[in-house]
Amino acid sequence: MATDALRTQVAAKWQSSFVRINRNQPGISGLLSFSQAWDIATEFVRPKDLNVEQPRNYDMKAIQAAYDVVNQSRRLPVLLETFLDQVHQKFYLIINEVEKFITEYERTSDPQVISKLVARLLLWYKTWMPAEELGPTITSAYTLAFQTRVFSALNSSFVQGFKTLCASTLPPSDPTAQAPAPDSALWEAFETLGLLDRYESIIASVGYEHIEAHVLANCTGQWAEPMLEGLRTWMSDKIVPWMLLMYARGATSTDDARAMLQNVGSRFDFHMAKTLCDLRTREIFDIIIDFPESAGALSDLKECLQRVDQRAALVQALRKANRKRLLHPGADTRLILTQYVATIKCLRIVDPPGVLLFKVADPIRRYLRERPDTIRCIVSNLVGDDESGDSLVDESEPIQPLQQPELEDYSDPNWEPEPIDAGPAFRTNKPSDVISTLVSIYDSKDLFVKELQVLLAQRLLAITDDNTEKVEKERRNIEILKIRFGEAALQVCEVMLKDMTDSKRIDGHVQSQKNSIVHPTIISKHFWPLLEASNIVMPGQFQTLQEQYAREFATFKPDKKLRWLPHLGTVHLELQLEDRTIEADVPPLEAAFIELFSEKSVWTIEELVAGVGSVDRMAAVKALLAWVDLGVLKEDGDDKFRLLEVAEEKSTARETSRAAPAAPELPPFSSVQQQQAEQMKVYWKFIEGMLTNLGSLPLDRIQTMLRFAPGYDQTVEQLGTFMEAARREGLVSVKDGVWKLTQKS
Amino acid sequence: MEQLTTSLAPPRAPSNKAAPASSNQQGAGSVTKRLSNELMTLMMSSSPGISAFPKSDGNLFEWIGTIEGAPGTIYAGLTFRISITFPPNYPYVAPTLKFETPCYHPNVDLAGGSICLDILQDKWSAVYSVQTILLSLQSLLGEPNNASPLNSDAAALWNSPDDFKAQLMRHYRPLKDDSA
């Protein structure tokens, strides 16, 4: 079907090809010389099996001439293709070898096998590499083809081995061990083979893991000194040289190297900071316990947190640790307070604006609010009434007034916005003193002041024997507390102290009129906390003494009435028995009982109790046993006691057994809780009244209606808790949030 | 060993001498105070079967009371709701009391609930209080004054207890738990 035109066209093509290859040589001599040159050229670039052929030396001139011929015929691209085809065909040689090495590695797990494999691959690569004279095109095409084939042959075992190999080049974290000599040849081989680019993430992870291991090994539990500086030095001494091989290859100057390292270096630094931060976050609870010995760890943590955004994790970890280790019934309130104070101090170091503290402190504060003895703990710490002697308050901290939450001063030139992770409830609380923070656990300081009064009353009444020194000490305490709580809040305490001095003065006057052995402390009922009442009536001579004293008092202060609290105080007694005289300082009840024994020598407990008015049987037995211990009384059958006019033999032994008199008990004051319970009883009457008359009411109505009750100060939440308690007792029922009284059946 | 200082004694109850018209505001203030005190006294006393409380938190002059029939009387076991309205010049003028629960009683208007009790009218004195009024009402239930009846049918029936009880129960409506 070939037309003439087609035939002519093919003939023309043929002719031009022939002319090109024959290069205008006579006859076909050009064609022959091309064919020869082609053979030389292909032979020169042919991939050779390293295991079979020795590299030969070629006559470079002949080869050069041959290439010129090929080039003149414009057959060089074809030559290239032929070469690449050959590479592919021969590549099984390399694959076989790679597999052999990998199998061996899998058997021995020796990274040196991988090292050998890399060296071998490099040899293959270099041997097959076409001569430079052929130009960059062929070189890059060859490199691409070679790497593609090699990578496809490398499996996961190689990756693992490669990682181990990289790790073995790292300096050991043990500072005494000799670092392996930098093996730059190996890294060059990696680079030439393109392994660095391909496995960069693996190399980086080797670095990360190494850093992690180093940080964990050197910093765990080491809180005294900041570690970050040391770690940075270690990085620049040990890790940077290692990184230079990989990341700064080809750097000509140090500046060059620094620029190349900057990116990866900051990644490594970040990782180090993160590792340290994670470690400290895990340890944070114990770090706080160790404070202030752990200041180093805290400054590390602060620096790390600025670099790494782990604040939320820190808050979470600390809250979890607190929940698990601190806020449970087994922990002493004092302990919780101490840890809370330490937490405040620690987190102020870590995060001066206080956002972290706010988040962590919230559960602690809520928990403390539920503890019944928190206030007492804080207050006894305030007045230095602490057996353990280790005070929550730093002695060196200046005494300052309680700080009230204040509005932000936006005109302050140093004003800063709230940190971004601050919650909506966050208040910029200026770094305040510990006491202010503790007092702010509660909504008002009134509770503290009340508890303070109770405590002061106990301490004042426990003072005996005109011990003005102790009163002075209390006065000093109160003066200090005035600075904190304000003058007005402590006025009552002031009156209590004044009562103490007034008592002495009044007593002095009364004594001058009529000498008496009674020395009462005269307190103003209105200003002292509720004292638990007692129904003891002092018998015999005590009563006479009291009456005489009261008469004198009435003439001195006619507008005032003396009401005795006979269960408080002490009585110094001298008992004259037939064979001995006993002196003792005893509580009034014991004195009253022994006074009764002067009438007859055998009493039953019931008679004794009746003799002093009314007293709890337990207290009576306790008082009698005190005399039994002194060898004055003897238990004589059922509930009967007999006076021992003549000492019994064993009484001496008994006496020594009571080595030290028991510490005087503190006068029983109703605590704030009891007073509150009294208040709640009043409120209950009101609730009962309104529910009786108004039917059923929702909680908020009850709350507003309770404003009729004098001094009602509970929040609606507290009321809810209270109502819930009443419901459990079956007094009220609730339906759809509406409360009503349970019908009495 | 306790000393009562007279200067610190709790303030006395508001003086009764202040004329109610002298200063309206001061008058209202002292009435409120008196009513609060009465409420407190009433709440803290535990008189069985009588109770009262302000209707709403904003107004101390409108109260609601509850009276249970004293045991042993014909009204035993029945509970009556009463509205109490205090005049602005209380306690110089008696409060107005009305039975909200229909009460079949010689001295109570069955339809309107108004009460014929001497201490609420001409015998009123400022020394009476909510508590004494409620106690009087409670005793009035058991011992009606048949000489001046508001409900003459009831007065006529008083001496035949069975018929009286039947009438009483016909009109009586037990309290519902209505939210005030």
Side-chain angles (χ1 to χ4, degrees):
Chain A
M1 290 286 288
T3 58
D4 283 348
L6 183 65
R7 224 173 272 143
T8 351
Q9 206 179 358
V10 170
K13 284 250 176 203
W14 173 262
Q15 200 56 39
S16 81
S17 296
F18 174 76
V19 167
R20 197 172 68 225
I21 294 176
N22 207 24
R23 303 184 307 288
N24 300 322
Q25 299 281 321
I28 58 164
S29 67
L31 202 60
L32 285 174
S33 70
F34 172 78
S35 155
Q36 203 175 11
W38 178 264
D39 279 349
I40 294 170
T42 46
E43 163 60 24
F44 176 62
V45 295
R46 182 178 61 87
K48 296 153 193 91
D49 185 349
L50 281 178
N51 298 317
V52 181
E53 295 175 53
Q54 288 304 310
R56 281 189 304 186
N57 285 324
Y58 294 98
D59 176 3
M60 289 312 286
K61 260 195 192 139
I63 288 164
Q64 191 66 46
Y67 274 97
D68 282 343
V69 171
V70 174
N71 198 19
Q72 274 172 19
S73 315
R74 284 181 284 160
R75 299 303 289 170
L76 213 49
V78 183
L79 179 72
L80 217 159
E81 272 172 40
T82 320
F83 164 64
L84 289 181
D85 277 348
Q86 280 177 340
V87 167
H88 282 297
Q89 278 166 20
K90 295 278 183 161
F91 214 85
Y92 69 92
L93 294 169
I94 299 178
I95 305 275
N96 285 347
E97 234 172 77
V98 167
E99 275 167 4
K100 229 165 61 205
F101 274 108
I102 288 179
T103 321
E104 196 188 338
Y105 171 74
E106 279 167 355
R107 197 168 48 76
T108 59
S109 297
D110 181 4
Q112 286 312 311
V113 176
I114 299 294
S115 174
K116 277 182 208 149
L117 167 62
V118 169
R120 189 71 183 167
L121 279 173
L122 187 67
L123 189 59
W124 281 104
Y125 174 75
K126 282 198 172 147
T127 318
W128 286 10
M129 172 75 103
E132 264 175 64
E133 290 81 6
L134 293 178
T137 325
I138 185 162
T139 313
S140 61
Y142 160 74
T143 310
L144 184 70
F146 188 89
Q147 287 180 357
T148 315
R149 293 300 298 260
V150 167
F151 293 160
S152 72
L154 297 176
N155 59 10
S156 59
S157 299
F158 172 80
V159 174
Q160 212 193 342
F162 181 72
K163 207 169 156 184
T164 327
L165 180 62
C166 290
S168 73
T169 63
L170 273 164
S173 53
D174 181 4
T176 51
Q178 192 61 45
D183 187 356
S184 43
L186 183 68
W187 289 100
E188 267 167 39
F190 285 165
E191 204 212 337
T192 319
L193 290 173
L195 291 173
L196 277 190
D197 289 332
R198 183 169 165 84
Y199 293 116
E200 193 184 358
S201 64
I202 288 172
I203 297 170
S205 77
V206 166
Y208 290 159
E209 280 166 22
H210 185 68
I211 290 170
E212 243 164 70
H214 180 83
V215 169
L216 290 181
N218 286 285
C219 302
T220 310
Q222 303 291 316
W223 303 325
E225 296 297 325
M227 305 300 282
L228 208 54
E229 211 44 53
L231 287 175
R232 291 234 159 95
T233 318
W234 171 78
M235 281 277 278
S236 56
D237 285 356
K238 306 272 177 155
I239 301 296
V240 169
W242 178 78
M243 279 162 43
L244 276 173
L245 290 174
M246 173 181 15
Y247 292 103
R249 53 190 188 253
T252 47
S253 65
T254 40
D255 279 343
D256 213 10
R258 193 169 298 139
M260 291 167 94
L261 277 180
Q262 199 175 30
N263 185 21
V264 63
S266 73
R267 253 167 45 210
F268 274 69
D269 187 59
F270 178 88
H271 191 78
M272 185 187 71
K274 185 173 181 306
T275 311
L276 187 61
C277 189
D278 287 348
L279 175 69
R280 293 293 182 242
T281 301
R282 282 198 298 280
E283 298 172 326
I284 184 73
F285 190 83
D286 296 294
I287 291 177
I288 292 174
I289 289 179
D290 259 23
F291 187 80
E293 273 74 42
S294 57
L298 290 167
S299 72
D300 274 353
L301 191 56
K302 179 184 180 182
E303 216 177 320
C304 289
L305 280 178
Q306 280 164 355
R307 184 114 173 70
V308 194
D309 188 25
Q310 297 279 341
R311 291 160 66 95
L314 178 69
V315 168
Q316 230 174 358
L318 189 51
R319 281 176 76 136
K320 199 172 152 205
N322 279 339
R323 209 164 44 237
K324 196 173 150 207
R325 297 177 61 179
L326 191 65
L327 307 180
H328 56 75
D332 187 33
T333 306
R334 267 198 51 77
L335 210 86
I336 300 178
L337 282 171
T338 316
Q339 180 74 355
Y340 177 40
V341 170
T343 308
I344 293 172
K345 288 178 182 160
C346 291
L347 292 187
R348 283 241 177 265
I349 296 178
V350 174
D351 171 52
V355 178
L356 296 186
L357 175 62
F358 182 80
K359 290 183 175 171
V360 171
D362 201 43
I364 305 180
R365 293 165 66 92
R366 256 185 285 138
Y367 184 84
L368 281 173
R369 223 173 296 163
E370 284 167 15
R371 282 240 169 172
D373 57 339
T374 304
I375 296 187
R376 185 154 285 231
C377 251
I378 298 173
V379 170
S380 60
N381 216 300
L382 277 181
V383 297
D385 178 32
D386 220 355
E387 294 83 18
S388 67
D390 123 69
S391 172
L392 292 176
V393 192
D394 204 349
E395 303 285 310
S396 56
E397 201 173 273
I399 298 157
Q400 48 184 313
L402 285 186
Q403 286 165 350
Q404 300 297 336
E406 48 195 74
L407 289 174
E408 269 194 87
D409 177 14
Y410 292 108
S411 59
D412 180 1
N414 298 320
W415 180 85
E416 276 181 29
E418 286 178 0
I420 43 166
D421 55 347
F426 174 75
R427 292 187 311 261
T428 8
N429 41 359
K430 300 270 149 45
S432 53
D433 65 317
V434 170
I435 292 297
S436 298
T437 318
L438 289 180
V439 171
S440 71
I441 291 176
Y442 295 87
D443 291 330
S444 80
K445 61 182 182 183
D446 294 358
L447 284 172
F448 284 88
V449 175
K450 273 187 193 161
E451 194 66 46
L452 202 64
Q453 288 163 9
V454 171
L455 210 69
L456 180 69
Q458 281 181 346
R459 289 155 66 95
L460 286 179
L461 289 190
I463 296 172
T464 52
D465 305 337
D466 306 332
N467 200 334
T468 37
E469 207 173 292
K470 278 188 188 163
V471 178
E472 278 314 304
K473 194 177 148 242
E474 298 299 337
R475 189 181 299 282
R476 260 200 314 280
N477 262 335
I478 294 295
E479 288 300 328
I480 292 172
L481 289 171
K482 262 191 200 165
I483 303 176
R484 293 195 192 279
F485 288 91
E487 196 88 22
L490 291 178
Q491 215 172 14
V492 169
C493 297
E494 192 74 347
V495 173
M496 286 160 68
L497 285 168
K498 190 165 178 297
D499 275 353
M500 294 304 286
T501 41
D502 279 359
S503 295
K504 277 195 72 179
R505 205 166 45 78
I506 294 169
D507 188 47
H509 177 85
V510 171
Q511 298 289 351
S512 72
Q513 297 299 311
K514 185 172 192 323
N515 214 6
S516 168
I517 55 166
V518 181
H519 299 279
T521 302
I522 300 159
I523 64 175
S524 314
K525 182 189 181 189
H526 203 78
F527 289 98
W528 287 65
L530 274 179
L531 276 163
E532 270 170 32
S534 155
N535 298 321
I536 302 179
V537 177
M538 295 301 278
Q541 54 172 322
F542 298 118
Q543 194 165 19
T544 325
L545 285 168
Q546 284 181 349
E547 278 165 8
Q548 278 171 0
Y549 197 98
R551 257 199 308 283
E552 279 307 319
F553 180 81
T555 48
F556 180 53
K557 298 239 168 192
D559 57 338
K560 292 180 188 169
K561 187 169 171 284
L562 205 56
R563 197 184 299 162
W564 296 91
L565 294 172
H567 57 299
L568 300 180
T570 56
V571 183
H572 181 77
L573 285 177
E574 191 183 307
L575 302 182
Q576 291 182 343
L577 300 169
E578 273 177 23
D579 62 334
R580 64 201 191 280
T581 307
I582 292 174
E583 281 193 44
D585 281 308
V586 294
L589 186 61
E590 291 177 28
F593 282 150
I594 210 69
E595 170 76 13
L596 290 173
F597 276 96
S598 64
E599 294 171 23
K600 59 175 186 173
S601 56
V602 180
W603 290 74
T604 66
I605 291 189
E606 278 69 32
E607 286 171 327
L608 286 166
V609 168
V612 295
S614 159
V615 69
D616 181 43
R617 196 189 150 88
M618 284 298 292
V621 170
K622 208 176 138 206
L624 289 167
L625 287 178
W627 285 118
V628 172
D629 274 352
L630 285 174
V632 176
L633 295 182
K634 185 169 187 260
E635 210 167 348
D636 208 17
D638 277 351
D639 288 351
K640 270 188 191 161
F641 287 85
R642 188 163 56 81
L643 184 67
L644 296 174
E645 282 287 359
V646 180
E648 286 188 356
E649 277 303 304
K650 59 178 181 178
S651 69
T652 43
R654 269 289 177 88
E655 210 155 359
T656 49
S657 76
R658 190 176 152 124
E665 281 172 56
L666 290 174
F669 279 98
S670 333
S671 70
V672 171
Q673 276 93 38
Q674 280 166 324
Q675 287 176 28
Q676 266 182 342
E678 285 299 318
Q679 275 291 301
M680 282 324 280
K681 270 186 208 157
V682 175
Y683 303 148
W684 169 245
K685 293 271 189 192
F686 275 80
I687 295 169
E688 209 178 9
M690 72 179 80
L691 291 180
T692 309
N693 293 292
L694 306 179
S696 38
L697 291 176
L699 194 62
D700 51 341
R701 275 296 298 285
I702 300 178
Q703 173 77 2
T704 49
M705 294 295 259
L706 270 173
R707 75 183 191 88
F708 288 126
Y712 181 73
D713 57 353
Q714 308 291 298
T715 64
V716 72
E717 285 80 19
Q718 285 167 315
L719 176 68
T721 323
F722 178 71
M723 293 302 286
E724 194 53 39
R727 190 186 64 75
R728 280 197 296 275
E729 285 181 36
L731 297 169
V732 288
S733 61
V734 63
K735 199 183 165 200
D736 302 333
V738 180
W739 297 83
K740 64 176 197 179
L741 288 178
T742 316
Q743 289 299 322
K744 282 171 233 143
S745 51
Chain B
M1 286 161 244
E2 179 180 319
Q3 178 188 24
L4 285 171
T5 44
T6 45
S7 59
L8 292 158
R12 294 206 181 89
S15 164
N16 291 349
K17 281 172 217 153
S22 65
S23 159
N24 214 1
Q25 201 156 16
Q26 199 186 354
S30 72
V31 176
T32 317
K33 198 163 182 184
R34 155 106 184 200
L35 286 174
S36 321
N37 283 342
E38 283 199 22
L39 179 62
M40 182 71 183
T41 323
L42 185 65
M43 289 299 113
M44 297 318 288
S45 76
S46 37
S47 323
I50 63 160
S51 171
F53 207 82
K55 221 179 200 170
S56 70
D57 58 306
N59 188 358
L60 256 176
F61 291 79
E62 301 269 349
W63 289 25
I64 289 193
T66 310
I67 294 183
E68 287 170 28
T73 67
I74 204 158
Y75 291 90
L78 303 184
T79 309
F80 296 92
R81 195 137 280 172
I82 289 166
S83 73
I84 309 168
T85 312
F86 296 93
N89 48 358
Y90 181 83
Y92 306 104
V93 174
T96 314
L97 273 79
K98 271 195 173 129
F99 271 93
E100 298 287 314
T101 316
C103 179
Y104 189 79
H105 185 273
N107 301 109
V108 179
D109 177 17
L110 189 61
S114 44
I115 302 158
C116 180
L117 180 62
D118 52 357
I119 63 159
L120 287 179
Q121 277 113 26
D122 49 330
K123 295 271 180 63
W124 170 255
S125 153
V127 299
Y128 291 134
S129 67
V130 182
Q131 194 183 2
T132 53
I133 296 170
L134 290 174
L135 280 172
S136 309
L137 264 184
Q138 197 183 25
S139 64
L140 181 73
L141 285 181
E143 299 153 19
N145 178 5
N146 284 322
S148 60
L150 264 180
N151 184 340
S152 44
D153 293 350
L157 270 180
W158 179 253
N159 287 323
S160 41
D162 290 345
D163 295 344
F164 189 91
K165 180 85 181 184
Q167 281 298 315
L168 171 63
M169 292 317 288
R170 204 163 65 79
H171 294 286
Y172 178 72
R173 300 275 176 276
L175 297 186
K176 274 178 279 166
D177 274 322
D178 47 342
S179 183

